[in-house]
Amino acid sequence: MSISRRSILKVASLFALVPLAPKLLSATEADMAKHASKMGEVMSKASEMKYVTSLVKNGEVITGAHWGILKASIKNGKVVSSSAALKGVPNPLQTVTADLIYTKSRIKYPMVRKSYLEDPHNNKPELRGKDEWVRVPYEKAIKLISSALKETRANKGAKGVFAGSYGWKSSGNMHNSITLLKRFMAMSGGFVDTTETYSTAAIRVIMPYVVGGLQIYDAQTTYPVILSDSKVVVIWGANPINTLKIAWTISDGSGLEFFNKLKASGKKIICIDPIGSETVRFFQGVKNSEWITPRPNTDVALMLGIMHTMYTTKKYDKKFVDTYTTGFDKFLDYMLGKTDGVVKDAAWANSISKVDVKTIKYLAKVMFENRTMIMAGWGMQRAHHGEQPHWMLVTLASMIGQIGLPGGGYGFSYHYGNNGSPRAKAAVVGGMDMGKNGNPSNAHFPVARIADALLHPGKTIDYKGTKVTYPDIELVYWVGGNPFHHHQDINNLLKAWQKPKAVIVHDPYWTATARHADIVMPISTQYERDDISMSGEYSNINIVPMKALVERQYEAKDDYEVFSDLAKEAGIYEEYTEGKTPAQWIEEFYNEALKQAKAEHINMPDFKTFWKANKPITFEVPEEAKNFVISADFREDPILNALGTPSGRIEIYSETIAKYNYDDCRAYPSWFEPAEWLGMKDKPAEFHMISSHPEYRLHSQLDNTSLKAKYNIAGREPIWINEEDAKRKGIKTGDVVRVFNARGEVLAGAYVTKNMRKGVVNLSEGAWYNPDSKGLCKNGCANVLTLDIPTSKLADGNCAHTALVNVEKYKGKVPQVDIFEEPKNMKV
């Protein structure tokens, strides 16, 4: 498929000629009815052939989700239960498919905010989240969206339209809502996009300077190699027992199986984490397992203390450092205190991290003297100066000297997507894309700066050695995500959200993001449409038929249908759809994989046979794939297999970063005091709050299911608090507590435990934002309390884990959580 720049400009010129929204709104419902037959012709192509084959009314059907390959039981056209389709470690997330289809929080119809419907040009944006909702016909909603887009582009051009939509959209290669949005926006004139992610901004920016690539998404040394060759496994700031229940595509479940084998292996397991996570508890009581609890945001200081010990005891690999790295001498001057007068020894590290000197020296000895794999998570880089921890960890691993050896070195994504699974010899299914020409606009900014961008159009920020100027955004289009969960300091986001002239949201559910929109489109769940996907981001072990389980509920539409109809309005319908229905796209994606299979002599059935079989295709894993070791080729020949850095080696000192002259990110990894932490002289609040990934959700997904009964306390999100802290505050398990700071306040249910470092509390992210009239979140949304500042001028990532809060027993009348139902102010 192709579209010329000339065609794009032609469409853009048409936008300036269309009537403005008030004229559209003057039409009567009778006029809309007359227009409906014509619109029906427009919409017929995208909605026809909704399913590859007819739906099963009674029986079992295979589909997939982020939490695995599912087998759903259907009776009389309704899902009654779901479970894992393949054997593996039990995953409770796989059991609530019916909840997601039949929940009271479904958006049933196209809805428009009353003030927007009355006058789009004077729509009282301050009433977003409070205004009355009015049901409109689907065709009218399409016209409203189309008019808003055309008017915005006529006034502001592509830089007035934000479609850098971000989130964990549902699984599936066809119905990838974010790609479908960007495809439409790119073909219809361009849009403002985002860079980086909330999950990994700091690490994904810093790693190319250090090792010449992202590494966070690279295949890691495989599970079999670790089980065979590692003697010590250090799990640093990661919680794989929690996060391996999910995957970006469809989880293959292999990660949890690996950690069960690791638990039984007898290897020394060292968990470094201020909270007693699921992973910490998983290994508790196991012989040779240990738990070390530094203060939050002090990992860099702890690493420095370890490295100083290694250097002064001469228990480090000088040959590896000299051969495979550059800039160690400059870093050494910093570590030894020659640059700033502060020696970064174990005693200094103890004063910051509160890990005792004996333990620091022990870590230096045990990691150097044993084949050690350091599995580092992403949580510690979602903090102020988040670029530093993983850069420092690479430096530590370089001193240990085992990078590129079987079972040694480090890995940055053993907690994500079952990374470590050997790669199968597979044919890989593709999916939708933005089209050959991509986005004609080059406007973008880091995603974690969305509130700052909306509040301060024209502001220029530093970013990766360049300057980025925020555009003046008038229209926000969000699909496949929930920024009112993802973004930090929600009260600040609320102010920012009032700036655009129009906010359009696609969602199956009445999340806080949907409630703060102007136009809401009811979208089908992934269980109401056919799709296809690989299972296993790294293994590519299966092709999964994601079969529709039931009919689309109420007036729900697929994202593809909505954007196809908008494409018709914009005059790009044929270019957008290429004349294909979803069923035809799915078959095409499969057939492309089938071509790969034939070329590689891999046995695969034709599409009809595959779909009818109602089971995934499973590929074989070659023996050589099971022995993969990351960086082995670099270690073997650092000249022939040089890294992608300017020196070709690991850059402990970066000349490139040195030229940026940033005051918050030096040219070598180093300790910076965070904006908020427990070591401050004048703390703004008492406790350091960690907002970890939830045990029974994927961020905010699944918060509207019966899984809440497994974790909710007092009908809301639980907050974990150390038993000594709780006793001092007069708090018991089951109490409703008020958690607050200068940024906001929430209510949570107290869980008193010894599995928390003293002075630290954990309020998992992802609870649906549910404010009362004064802004108190009744459901315990952690991001009401977090800090919205950039990690540094280099990455501009988020600082979710840099937050101090107060906790007290709530004494008022406890309000009811009511976010999981339809808004009360609806006119249907």
Side-chain angles (χ1 to χ4, degrees):
M1 176 178 145
S2 64
I3 177 172
S4 68
R5 181 169 177 80
R6 180 180 178 185
S7 298
I8 294 173
L9 293 173
K10 182 178 178 182
V11 172
S13 68
L14 290 173
F15 289 170
L17 302 177
V18 299
L20 299 183
K23 183 175 180 180
L24 170 67
L25 293 176
S26 66
T28 64
E29 293 302 319
D31 293 331
M32 293 299 296
K34 291 178 182 179
H35 188 65
S37 60
K38 184 176 180 180
M39 285 295 292
E41 297 175 14
V42 172
M43 300 172 186
S44 60
K45 188 70 175 178
S47 59
E48 69 179 88
M49 283 182 66
K50 283 194 298 184
Y51 308 112
V52 175
T53 55
S54 58
L55 296 177
V56 173
K57 298 300 181 181
N58 291 280
E60 293 182 340
V61 178
I62 297 298
T63 189
H66 291 300
W67 29 92
I69 304 175
L70 306 177
K71 177 176 65 177
S73 296
I74 301 171
K75 291 184 179 180
N76 299 320
K78 288 194 68 174
V79 174
V80 293
S81 66
S82 59
S83 60
L86 305 176
K87 291 182 179 179
V89 177
N91 184 349
L93 278 60
Q94 298 173 342
T95 65
V96 291
T97 301
D99 291 358
L100 291 167
I101 298 169
Y102 308 118
T103 173
K104 294 180 181 179
S105 59
R106 282 297 295 261
I107 300 172
K108 298 177 180 177
Y109 317 108
M111 304 295 287
V112 180
R113 189 168 60 82
K114 181 181 178 182
S115 298
Y116 187 92
L117 190 62
E118 291 174 346
D119 185 357
H121 297 115
N122 184 27
N123 64 55
K124 302 175 183 177
E126 69 276 6
L127 293 181
R128 288 182 183 132
K130 304 172 185 176
D131 212 347
E132 185 177 343
W133 287 100
V134 180
R135 177 181 175 181
V136 298
Y138 172 75
E139 296 82 3
K140 187 168 187 176
I142 289 292
K143 283 293 186 182
L144 284 169
I145 295 171
S146 180
S147 294
L149 280 168
K150 292 173 182 177
E151 183 173 339
T152 301
R153 286 203 173 111
N155 293 337
K156 294 287 184 178
K159 292 185 178 181
V161 177
F162 176 83
S165 194
Y166 176 91
W168 266 72
K169 51 83 186 172
S170 58
S171 301
N173 293 15
M174 166 63 218
H175 295 287
N176 182 329
S177 57
I178 294 174
T179 300
L180 291 169
L181 167 66
K182 293 183 178 183
R183 179 183 178 92
F184 165 71
M185 289 294 184
M187 292 179 176
S188 63
F191 63 97
V192 178
D193 205 348
T194 56
T195 59
E196 312 312 339
T197 72
Y198 283 94
S199 295
T200 61
I203 185 175
R204 67 182 283 153
V205 168
I206 194 63
M207 279 299 103
Y209 293 96
V210 181
V211 294
L214 294 177
Q215 283 208 340
I216 49 170
Y217 302 128
D218 293 345
Q220 309 289 285
T221 296
T222 60
Y223 297 147
V225 172
I226 293 171
L227 292 171
S228 171
D229 294 280
S230 298
K231 299 300 180 186
V232 175
V233 175
V234 180
I235 304 174
W236 201 319
N239 188 9
I241 301 304
N242 172 312
T243 54
L244 288 178
K245 293 174 185 173
I246 58 173
W248 181 250
T249 55
I250 296 174
S251 177
D252 64 19
S254 60
L256 292 174
E257 293 178 8
F258 159 73
F259 276 96
N260 275 276
K261 293 177 182 177
L262 183 64
K263 183 178 181 179
S265 70
K267 299 180 187 299
K268 181 177 286 295
I269 309 296
I270 301 173
C271 295
I272 303 177
D273 200 319
I275 68 174
S277 67
E278 292 86 347
T279 301
V280 169
R281 303 195 304 276
F282 179 78
F283 286 108
Q284 275 180 346
V286 176
K287 186 179 179 181
N288 293 329
S289 70
E290 302 173 54
W291 176 30
I292 297 169
T293 59
R295 278 173 168 172
N297 290 190
T298 66
D299 304 275
V300 166
L302 176 56
M303 293 178 207
L304 278 164
I306 294 169
M307 286 187 284
H308 186 277
T309 301
M310 294 172 72
Y311 181 77
T312 55
T313 59
K314 297 183 180 180
K315 289 195 172 184
Y316 79 102
D317 193 331
K318 186 177 186 301
K319 183 178 180 181
F320 184 92
V321 170
D322 291 343
T323 305
Y324 298 97
T325 78
T326 184
F328 182 74
D329 55 336
K330 295 182 177 65
F331 168 76
L332 190 59
D333 285 345
Y334 166 74
M335 187 171 71
L336 297 178
K338 295 179 180 179
T339 59
D340 59 5
V342 178
V343 178
K344 317 304 185 299
D345 59 10
W348 171 86
N350 161 258
S351 70
I352 293 171
S353 69
K354 296 305 179 185
V355 175
D356 64 80
V357 171
K358 183 179 179 181
T359 298
I360 293 172
K361 292 182 176 181
Y362 159 75
L363 288 171
K365 178 180 171 62
V366 75
M367 287 195 284
F368 178 69
E369 293 182 350
N370 295 276
R371 184 61 59 85
T372 301
M373 173 59 73
I374 305 175
M375 299 179 173
W378 299 342
M380 57 186 166
Q381 55 92 53
R382 288 194 287 272
H384 200 199
H385 307 293
E387 296 82 359
Q388 303 306 315
H390 292 84
W391 193 358
M392 192 67 74
L393 196 145
V394 172
T395 307
L396 170 60
S398 297
M399 291 187 70
I400 295 171
Q402 299 174 12
I403 295 171
L405 294 178
Y410 63 90
F412 290 155
S413 55
Y414 282 109
H415 65 289
Y416 169 76
N418 303 290
N419 201 344
S421 300
R423 190 180 298 274
K425 184 179 180 181
V428 179
V429 172
M432 297 297 291
D433 59 34
M434 285 174 55
K436 292 181 179 179
N437 295 320
N439 183 9
S441 167
N442 63 356
H444 62 267
F445 56 82
V447 66
R449 308 316 307 139
I450 176 66
D452 196 39
L454 293 175
L455 285 168
H456 305 291
K459 176 181 175 180
T460 298
I461 64 169
D462 290 291
Y463 171 56
K464 294 200 299 188
T466 65
K467 301 287 186 181
V468 172
T469 300
Y470 294 144
D472 188 2
I473 294 167
E474 288 195 353
L475 184 146
V476 170
Y477 209 130
W478 212 287
V479 303
N482 183 8
F484 276 82
H485 135 69
H486 247 124
H487 195 73
Q488 287 62 57
D489 193 352
I490 285 179
N491 284 318
N492 189 54
L493 179 65
L494 283 168
K495 297 174 186 175
W497 215 248
Q498 294 177 17
K499 295 296 183 179
K501 294 183 178 179
V503 177
I504 303 157
V505 170
H506 289 196
D507 210 300
Y509 312 114
W510 280 110
T511 64
T513 300
R515 291 168 191 254
H516 286 83
D518 298 318
I519 304 171
V520 176
M521 299 301 280
I523 299 301
S524 56
T525 69
Q526 65 196 68
Y527 308 114
E528 298 156 25
R529 60 200 184 209
D530 290 324
D531 215 319
I532 192 169
S533 176
M534 303 302 295
S535 172
E537 271 95 303
Y538 297 93
S539 65
N540 285 329
I541 193 69
N542 299 302
I543 297 179
V544 182
M546 295 178 63
K547 294 191 172 188
L549 306 180
V550 295
E551 292 279 356
R552 296 187 299 199
Q553 304 294 293
Y554 306 103
E555 293 183 10
K557 303 286 185 181
D558 302 337
D559 295 285
Y560 181 71
E561 183 171 354
V562 175
F563 290 124
S564 296
D565 294 335
L566 289 172
K568 184 69 176 183
E569 291 288 312
I572 57 168
Y573 178 81
E574 289 299 324
E575 293 161 311
Y576 184 80
T577 65
E578 298 186 27
K580 300 186 186 78
T581 66
Q584 290 167 334
W585 278 113
I586 292 168
E587 184 169 0
E588 180 175 302
F589 298 151
Y590 182 89
N591 286 336
E592 286 298 320
L594 187 59
K595 289 180 183 178
Q596 298 171 33
K598 290 179 179 178
E600 296 293 326
H601 306 289
I602 300 171
N603 186 35
M604 274 178 64
D606 61 55
F607 177 73
K608 289 183 179 179
T609 303
F610 160 71
W611 200 262
K612 184 179 180 180
N614 193 35
K615 65 180 181 179
I617 293 172
T618 301
F619 298 105
E620 294 183 1
V621 177
E623 283 301 314
E624 59 268 23
K626 299 175 183 178
N627 300 316
F628 175 76
V629 176
I630 190 171
S631 301
D633 54 350
F634 171 62
R635 187 182 186 101
E636 181 179 354
D637 192 332
I639 297 175
L640 184 63
N641 301 307
L643 302 179
T645 57
S647 66
R649 295 188 284 176
I650 296 169
E651 301 214 343
I652 296 173
Y653 182 96
S654 170
E655 296 284 358
T656 305
I657 294 177
K659 293 174 184 177
Y660 299 161
N661 198 31
Y662 290 156
D663 60 358
D664 56 1
C665 185
R666 301 184 184 104
Y668 48 83
S670 49
W671 159 257
F672 289 89
E673 186 172 344
E676 293 184 9
W677 70 298
L678 292 175
M680 297 176 71
K681 290 181 179 179
D682 299 310
K683 295 198 295 285
E686 183 177 4
F687 296 96
H688 195 121
M689 185 188 77
I690 299 295
S691 46
S692 65
H693 186 275
E695 184 174 5
Y696 292 103
R697 294 193 299 268
L698 193 176
H699 299 315
S700 65
Q701 293 184 44
L702 304 175
D703 200 28
N704 58 339
T705 71
S706 57
L707 288 173
K708 290 197 303 296
K710 292 181 177 291
Y711 60 87
N712 267 14
I713 293 179
R716 61 208 76 231
E717 190 69 21
I719 184 168
W720 286 39
I721 184 169
N722 174 273
E723 54 191 5
E724 292 183 36
D725 290 328
K727 184 177 181 180
R728 179 170 50 84
K729 305 292 288 187
I731 294 170
K732 297 179 181 178
T733 294
D735 288 343
V736 175
V737 296
R738 175 176 172 253
V739 191
F740 62 100
N741 57 23
R743 292 178 287 276
E745 57 181 348
V746 308
L747 296 182
Y751 179 72
V752 179
T753 175
K754 63 181 180 180
N755 285 317
M756 290 293 299
R757 181 185 172 86
K758 191 175 179 180
V760 181
V761 295
N762 183 54
L763 183 66
S764 291
E765 48 88 5
W768 285 18
Y769 175 58
N770 187 196
D772 68 7
S773 60
K774 295 181 180 179
L776 170 71
C777 179
K778 299 175 285 187
N779 193 40
C781 179
N783 270 330
V784 172
L785 305 162
T786 50
L787 190 63
D788 186 11
I789 60 172
T791 51
S792 80
K793 295 181 178 70
L794 185 72
D796 291 287
N798 79 80
C799 298
H801 293 311
T802 299
L804 296 184
V805 301
N806 294 304
V807 181
E808 65 182 18
K809 189 172 180 178
Y810 187 65
K811 297 178 181 178
K813 182 180 179 181
V814 178
Q816 183 177 354
V817 172
D818 56 4
I819 188 66
F820 302 111
E821 300 176 358
E822 294 176 311
K824 295 179 175 62
N825 51 344
M826 292 177 58
K827 185 181 290 185
V828 296

